[in-house]
Amino acid sequence: SVHLPSLVQDVLMGRVTVTGAAAALPPGAPRQLAYEMAVCVCDADGVQTQAEQQFLAGLREALGLDAGRARQLAQD
């Protein structure tokens, strides 16, 4: 089982990479939720920078999410 608060802290502290954290999440809803949360953070100021867009694209790939589904999640 994955303790999400600890996993987030590990990423922030550089103890694990985003790719490593993504791999630790079980498939399905947890990965989708992680992507949705990242989109919310990137959208917090109302604008996605190029760096944020690149981050989200890399995260989508690391999470193994379908590009169409990720686009839908981002729009919702």
Side-chain angles (χ1 to χ4, degrees), residues 42 47-58:
C42 291
V47 177
Q48 278 188 15
T49 66
Q50 185 176 9
E52 289 169 332
Q53 291 170 1
Q54 290 172 343
F55 169 78
L56 289 173

Side-chain angles (χ1 to χ4, degrees), residues 4-18 21 41:
L4 291 178
S6 296
L7 186 56
V8 169
Q9 186 176 31
D10 286 345
V11 170
L12 292 174
M13 298 300 292
R15 294 186 287 244
V16 66
T17 64
V18 172
V41 171

Side-chain angles (χ1 to χ4, degrees), residues 22-48:
L25 293 173
R31 289 180 181 218
Q32 181 176 313
L33 178 59
Y35 187 78
E36 289 177 26
M37 290 174 57
V39 169
C40 288
V41 171
C42 291
D43 286 348
D45 63 358
V47 177
Q48 278 188 15

Side-chain angles (χ1 to χ4, degrees), residues 46-75:
V47 177
Q48 278 188 15
T49 66
Q50 185 176 9
E52 289 169 332
Q53 291 170 1
Q54 290 172 343
F55 169 78
L56 289 173
L59 179 60
R60 180 195 60 75
E61 186 175 312
L63 292 169
L65 298 177
D66 174 71
R69 179 68 180 134
R71 229 181 347 269
Q72 183 65 42
L73 292 171
Q75 289 174 353

